[in-house]
């Protein structure tokens, strides 16, 4: 199945039972759509390709948008979406990499995705692969201390095959002096600030590469209610 962006709301409404995370899910929808439609080199018929791009959903709570995009691109079927959250379903309230086709990491407990992404990017670079790693985080998730270590490590190693996308819906309790972009920039990352609903600007930012630095994209969306 290949669906259009306009069909995503109908796919998402097939999943019920985790409505408290609707805002978390919809905040990621446009970034994940642009990644799978126009950026990632992944093929649902060849999930184990060693040179595939990797996408890590570190912001793993409320994965309905992720599942909807996977169904839109042939990794899942619409019928599987109907089983979301059922006892014997592969689609849990947090994505499980051992169950869901195309899911690279099991996530939901925040603060782990960026470190995993940095390690994977380093391993791919050492192997000589041209595969890229994209990791999607939330702004509040950056309050986890593990992330600053990963940001520093990636910057100092110059992991040019790594892109961190931060969904900024103004939900962080602590924040950072100078904002999210500065948090990455001072550690040796090149940073783009974009409208997280603007597909054209997202595409431009997500496909940009600049010298010998990792890349961060801060995607601003409406404030969490």
């Amino acid at each position: 199945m290949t669906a259009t962006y306009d069909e995503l709301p109908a796919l998402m409404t097939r999943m019920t039972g985790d409505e408290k995370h609707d805002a978390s899910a919809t905040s990621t929808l446009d970034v994940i759509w642009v990644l799978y439609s126009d950026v990632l080199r992944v093929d649902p018929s060849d999930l184990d390709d060693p040179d595939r791009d990797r996408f890590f959903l570190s912001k793993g709570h409320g994965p309905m948008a992720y599942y909807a995009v996977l169904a839109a691109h042939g990794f899942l079927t619409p019928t599987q979406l109907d089983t979301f959250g059922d006892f014997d379903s592969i689609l849990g309230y947090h994505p499980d990499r051992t169950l869901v086709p195309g899911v690279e990491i099991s996530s939901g407990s925040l603060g782990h995705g960026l470190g995993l992404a940095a390690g994977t990017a380093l391993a791919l670079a050492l192997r000589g692969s041209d595969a890229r790693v994209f990791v999607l985080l939330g702004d509040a998730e950056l309050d986890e201390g593990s992330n600053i270590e990963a940001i520093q490590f990636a910057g100092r190693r110059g992991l040019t095959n790594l892109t961190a996308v931060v969904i900024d819906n103004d939900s962080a309790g602590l924040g950072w002096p100078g904002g999210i972009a500065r948090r990455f920039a001072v550690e040796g990352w090149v940073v783009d600030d974009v409208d997280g609903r603007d597909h054209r600007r997202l595409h431009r930012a997500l496909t940009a590469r600049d010298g010998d630095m990792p890349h961060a994209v801060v995607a601003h969306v409406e404030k969490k209610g």
Side-chain angles (χ1 to χ4, degrees):
M1 171 186 178
T2 300
T4 66
Y5 176 80
D6 290 339
E7 294 175 274
L8 290 180
L11 291 174
M12 289 184 66
T13 57
R14 299 180 74 137
M15 292 172 277
T16 60
D18 192 27
E19 284 76 11
K20 69 177 181 179
H21 284 130
D22 279 354
S24 295
T26 55
S27 70
T28 68
L29 183 61
D30 294 273
V31 168
I32 298 175
W33 174 259
V34 172
L35 279 167
Y36 275 88
S37 298
D38 300 311
V39 179
L40 291 172
R41 300 187 299 248
V42 292
D43 184 346
S45 67
D46 191 10
L47 295 175
D48 295 322
D49 178 4
D51 292 318
R52 70 191 182 280
D53 286 341
R54 272 72 166 177
F55 171 67
F56 291 178
L57 182 68
S58 187
K59 183 180 164 67
H61 50 291
M64 293 85 78
Y66 187 27
Y67 294 155
V69 173
L70 288 175
H73 288 279
F75 294 84
L76 299 169
T77 67
T79 301
Q80 286 174 308
L81 300 181
D82 297 334
T83 71
F84 174 67
D86 290 351
F87 177 76
D88 57 352
S89 174
I90 65 171
L91 303 180
Y93 293 156
H94 295 167
D96 187 330
R97 72 175 184 84
T98 67
L99 297 177
V100 187
V103 169
E104 298 283 357
I105 62 168
S106 301
S107 58
S109 179
L110 300 176
H112 303 297
L114 186 54
L116 290 168
T120 301
L122 177 61
L124 289 168
L126 291 173
R127 205 181 71 201
S129 173
D130 64 354
R132 303 164 300 172
V133 182
F134 296 82
V135 56
L136 182 60
L137 309 99
D139 59 329
E141 184 178 0
L142 290 178
D143 289 345
E144 297 279 355
S146 54
N147 282 309
I148 190 59
E149 296 179 13
I151 291 169
Q152 292 172 337
F153 172 77
R156 292 170 191 180
R157 287 301 303 239
L159 297 179
T160 59
N161 58 345
L162 174 63
T163 297
V165 187
V166 182
I167 299 294
D168 183 7
N169 61 0
D170 199 21
S171 61
L174 299 179
W176 194 260
I180 294 172
R182 178 167 173 75
R183 183 169 193 170
F184 284 87
V186 297
E187 300 297 346
W189 293 59
V190 61
V191 185
D192 283 306
D193 265 279
V194 300
D195 179 345
R197 302 302 187 191
D198 186 327
H199 292 190
R200 181 181 59 83
R201 292 197 63 196
L202 282 169
H203 179 266
R204 183 186 303 165
L206 291 168
T207 54
R209 286 293 178 269
D210 188 356
D212 57 358
M213 296 181 287
H215 187 203
V217 177
V218 182
H220 301 275
V221 299
E222 58 278 3
K223 184 175 181 178
K224 184 177 180 180

